[in-house]
Amino acid sequence: MNDLLEVRALNKRYPVGPGRRALHAVEAASFTIRRGESLGLVGESGSGKSTLARILARLIDATDGSIVFAGEELSTLPAARVARTPWRARIQMVLQDPGDSLNPRCTAFQAIAEPMLRLGTATGPSSRAGGSVAERVTELARQVGLPEALLGRFPHQLSGGQKARVGIARALAPGPELLILDEPTSALDVSVQATILHLLDRLRKELGISYLFVSHDLNVVRLMCERILVMYLGRIAEIGPTEAVLDAPLHPYTQALVAAIPGRRRANMPHLELPGEPMSPIDPDPNTCRFHGRCPKAQALCVRSMPLLREHAPGHQAACHVS
Amino acid sequence: MSGPQPPLLAVSALSVEFRTRSGKVRALDNVSLTLRKGELVALVGESGSGKSVTAFAIMRVLDPAARITSGSLHFGGMDLLAMKDAELAELRGRELSMIFQNPRAALNPIRRVGRQIEDVLLRHAAVPRQALRAQAIAALTQVRIPDPEKRYAAYPHELSGGMCQRIMIAMALACRPALLIADEPTTGLDVTTQAAILDLMRELAHARGMAMLLITHDLGLAAEYCDRVVVMHAGHVVETAPTSRLLSLPRHPYSAKLIAATPRVDRRLDDLAAIAGNLPDLRRADLPPCRFSERCDRYTPTCAAPLPSNTVAAEHAVACHHPL
């Protein structure tokens, strides 16, 4: 068993308005994350990637479906109770903009120490030093390249890159096995982004943890991830090894996404413009492909039967009748 | 007329200061750039480099705390710094248009989008009232808004971010300006939407002979859409070059490092190099002549001399004592 996380038939529906109407945020999601692996999660706004990330971070509950983490079923434990169990330490999240997610009234030291104090992991098995909280915070600061002298500073006294390091150290503090990174560098300039990407890559290899790397920047995902999962309107469109997905995308949506990467189009990819807007996620037709209406390759079959994920090459799956 | 045509826009040796409680911020120093008719130019830099301040200065919409301390701004032969507010108001929206980063924030939330386009036509194009609606719908059609008759009556909150940016473009282009300044027009939009919006802007610019100044932090976008690139760092223009030349033969150490830090299709993580150090504090009294010198590995004592502007090839200028 090399899988750290196995998600099966995961659904998340939000009731909307009167009656039984529902917004289908995530539908029939099934995939795995291996130990030590970095899985990229890409998709545009409204694709459900944030919802999926929050379900896996156990911040919200799925409507149904199964989440097996390290061999144990996790979906039966309500999100509200996860915070009081050891699970909270095993799955951690790095939030998008550290400027917004760090408490402005806490110093960097307090921000990093707090999750350990709350979860009681400061002296647990995950702490190699096994010493005091202060020693562990210092060790974490060293790991993420935050100068010790800055630990006493408040967020507003830190640069964007330094705040990002605090956010990462804080998530690593309880010793997680899975780190969910929600657009970890989108608030940073490219000059700083490069250092943070190097840091994240090094930490994953050193600590042997797994990443779910959520990003809209395919060039960044390509650098950071071994496999990529592409979502469109709540459903998995394609999943596979990074190079296969980006160099030979199977799903027409992935093809359009890859073709839209600046610099890519100039080189060799034909330009695919997607007409129209995504369909409504509220009670969509269960038998129509979600990409129908924008898909340049749609056929009659696409409105009669929902395409399911099919394996096209080892480990490379796409949900499309045409590909 | 004889001789070379004067540029459409000429920013010459522009310096801008902001007065703040903690001192004077020297946001722009000796910034020069030109745009010809119909040319697409990218203004590239990281946050704090002075891209937006340059745009606001050109539009003459700088914050009251800002002061233009020296330099000149000429647009279509007119001296923008000598113009009165009323004259500027006539110019903006008609000859000189700008679109902003967050289209939803720039649109009036309680006015139908069609009416907002009509407001521009009414103010600047003297369109007769009975023709307004037809022209507004034509403007919506031009930016390829599906079902323009219906969308005419929509409020901004009923439209997606991409649609709102199309409305902004329709408004900005309604009076056929000679220059469009686009300040990060696709930040926050999805990649496929970003590509569609920029394709549209490029196509309309070409069709109308309109010049565009695209302000972006994304070198990849600049490379994809613009003829020339102007690189800014800490309030200086450090390098100006035709796009393909800048990407293949950058001469300023900062441009080279910026290119090396940008994730690209053909680059591995090991090749990605961060840029050491931070922007200098622009309030400092002892700012060195080269504001990159403290981060630069080619620094020598010569760099303390006033910054040169070396023309290294046709249309390729670099402000560095030790170019690559």
Side-chain angles (χ1 to χ4, degrees):
Chain A
M1 265 291 281
N2 210 10
D3 288 340
L4 176 68
L5 180 82
E6 185 181 0
V7 174
R8 244 173 306 158
L10 199 70
N11 289 305
K12 177 69 183 176
R13 291 183 291 272
Y14 290 99
V16 281
R20 291 231 200 97
R21 300 205 306 152
L23 186 147
H24 294 235
V26 174
E27 197 172 272
S30 298
F31 62 95
T32 58
I33 301 179
R34 291 191 277 271
R35 280 193 189 275
E37 181 189 39
S38 174
L39 176 70
L41 176 55
V42 303
E44 305 196 331
S45 41
S47 65
K49 61 181 195 299
S50 300
T51 305
L52 182 59
R54 290 164 61 94
I55 294 171
L56 298 182
R58 301 306 291 119
L59 296 172
I60 54 174
D61 285 315
T63 308
D64 48 53
S66 136
I67 304 168
V68 176
F69 187 89
E72 287 181 63
E73 179 62 51
L74 191 51
S75 59
T76 46
L77 183 69
R81 284 185 42 211
V82 170
R84 273 167 297 205
T85 68
W87 288 108
R88 186 26 80 230
R90 299 178 72 180
I91 305 175
Q92 280 285 311
M93 191 158 179
V94 175
L95 297 163
Q96 192 165 73
D97 186 348
D100 286 343
S101 55
L102 292 173
N103 185 338
R105 296 174 63 173
C106 286
T107 61
F109 182 95
Q110 290 167 328
I112 299 170
E114 199 217 353
M116 289 190 278
L117 294 172
R118 255 176 203 257
L119 299 169
T121 55
T123 52
S126 56
S127 166
R128 285 178 218 167
S132 67
V133 171
E135 281 170 26
R136 176 81 176 125
V137 171
T138 314
E139 185 200 332
L140 283 160
R142 189 188 49 71
Q143 270 182 339
V144 301
L146 185 73
E148 215 181 310
L150 301 183
L151 282 173
R153 292 206 186 171
F154 291 95
H156 74 271
Q157 297 167 314
L158 297 170
S159 72
Q162 289 160 351
K163 278 184 277 197
R165 290 177 201 270
V166 175
I168 294 166
R170 175 180 162 85
L172 290 177
E177 291 155 73
L178 173 65
L179 202 58
I180 295 171
L181 299 128
D182 185 9
E183 305 265 10
T185 59
S186 65
L188 302 174
D189 274 316
V190 282
S191 60
V192 184
Q193 169 176 277
T195 14
I196 298 298
L197 294 180
H198 280 294
L199 170 68
L200 288 170
D201 193 60
R202 179 171 60 76
L203 287 171
R204 177 169 68 92
K205 286 168 183 159
E206 277 178 13
L207 304 173
I209 52 182
S210 306
Y211 285 175
L212 179 70
F213 197 99
V214 184
S215 179
H216 69 279
D217 188 335
L218 288 169
N219 280 335
V220 169
V221 171
R222 197 180 52 79
L223 294 173
M224 299 300 293
C225 303
E226 283 133 4
R227 287 194 304 143
I228 295 185
L229 191 164
V230 182
M231 286 186 81
Y232 185 82
L233 219 65
R235 292 187 72 101
I236 298 177
E238 184 162 355
I239 183 167
T242 300
E243 263 127 60
V245 171
L246 293 185
D247 295 340
L250 296 167
H251 197 285
Y253 174 65
T254 317
Q255 289 167 0
L257 209 56
V258 169
I261 304 177
R264 187 93 172 184
R265 295 158 58 186
R266 184 180 275 262
N268 47 7
M269 299 295 289
H271 176 32
L272 276 172
E273 188 165 336
L274 298 179
E277 302 247 306
M279 64 172 71
S280 165
I282 297 168
D283 290 333
D285 185 340
N287 295 318
T288 299
C289 174
R290 290 290 153 80
F291 195 43
H292 186 76
R294 303 186 81 190
C295 181
K297 299 182 177 171
Q299 295 179 348
L301 179 62
C302 304
V303 291
R304 289 202 311 270
S305 110
M306 174 67 80
L308 301 176
L309 278 178
R310 266 192 306 140
E311 185 132 322
H312 290 255
H316 191 178
Q317 299 174 301
C320 178
H321 293 305
V322 187
S323 66
Chain B
M1 272 229 273
S2 62
Q5 241 191 335
L8 176 69
L9 174 75
V11 177
S12 311
L14 188 72
S15 297
V16 172
E17 276 179 8
F18 284 81
R19 272 163 296 179
T20 68
R21 270 185 292 178
S22 52
K24 270 186 205 160
V25 178
R26 291 191 273 160
L28 294 187
D29 178 45
N30 209 14
V31 164
S32 297
L33 63 95
T34 59
L35 248 87
R36 287 185 292 265
K37 190 173 177 297
E39 200 180 18
L40 307 188
V41 174
L43 193 54
V44 174
E46 300 185 272
S47 34
S49 62
K51 312 180 292 282
S52 294
V53 175
T54 305
F56 290 158
I58 296 168
M59 292 297 288
R60 294 286 320 275
V61 289
L62 280 170
D63 189 273
R67 201 164 61 92
I68 295 176
T69 53
S70 62
S72 69
L73 287 169
H74 284 89
F75 173 74
M78 291 172 284
D79 183 350
L80 291 178
L81 294 184
M83 287 173 83
K84 295 191 175 68
D85 285 349
E87 295 169 320
L88 285 166
E90 279 305 307
L91 195 69
R92 280 187 224 122
R94 191 160 63 195
E95 303 277 336
L96 189 58
S97 263
M98 181 158 175
I99 57 177
F100 300 88
Q101 188 170 126
N102 183 350
R104 226 182 275 280
L107 288 167
N108 183 340
I110 54 165
R111 196 158 166 76
R112 297 180 194 277
V113 295
R115 308 290 297 200
Q116 299 192 46
I117 297 174
E118 289 180 358
D119 292 342
V120 179
L121 292 168
L122 207 54
R123 172 73 179 80
H124 292 294
V127 173
R129 281 192 183 271
Q130 58 273 26
L132 271 179
R133 189 186 159 90
Q135 283 217 16
I137 288 171
L140 290 172
T141 312
Q142 190 150 40
V143 293
R144 291 200 216 103
I145 289 192
D147 208 351
E149 303 265 349
K150 192 175 141 210
R151 295 292 158 78
Y152 170 92
Y155 289 99
H157 77 268
E158 297 173 306
L159 302 175
S160 67
M163 282 299 146
C164 285
Q165 194 56 287
R166 283 173 200 262
I167 304 281
M168 286 304 298
I169 296 171
M171 285 170 69
L173 301 192
C175 298
R176 303 190 154 261
L179 171 63
L180 174 67
I181 298 177
D183 189 359
E184 303 267 9
T186 57
T187 304
L189 299 182
D190 293 325
V191 267
T192 55
T193 312
Q194 164 172 288
I197 294 278
L198 286 169
D199 283 348
L200 174 73
M201 288 172 64
R202 173 168 59 185
E203 194 188 305
L204 292 173
H206 283 160
R208 298 166 167 211
M210 178 182 78
M212 182 164 82
L213 185 64
L214 175 69
I215 296 177
T216 177
H217 63 279
D218 186 338
L219 206 52
L221 273 194
E224 180 92 29
Y225 289 96
C226 294
D227 310 320
R228 280 196 301 134
V229 177
V230 176
V231 183
M232 291 192 75
H233 173 268
H236 281 157
V237 169
V238 297
E239 187 162 9
T240 307
T243 306
S244 57
R245 200 177 150 88
L246 182 88
L247 294 181
S248 55
L249 280 171
R251 299 296 298 274
H252 196 284
Y254 175 69
S255 313
K257 283 179 188 281
L258 194 64
I259 293 167
T262 304
R264 265 199 339 228
V265 176
D266 54 351
R267 190 167 273 149
R268 310 195 62 78
L269 187 58
D270 293 339
D271 306 330
L272 202 66
I275 307 179
N278 295 308
L279 288 181
D281 184 343
L282 300 184
R283 289 170 300 196
R284 266 165 54 185
D286 62 337
L287 270 177
C290 172
R291 294 180 177 182
F292 189 61
S293 56
E294 288 160 5
R295 309 171 77 180
C296 187
D297 40 28
R298 298 171 75 82
Y299 175 82
T300 69
T302 323
C303 298
L307 213 53
S309 176
N310 297 322
T311 302
V312 291
E315 305 216 295
H316 190 169
V318 53
C320 179
H321 289 286
H322 306 294
L324 298 164

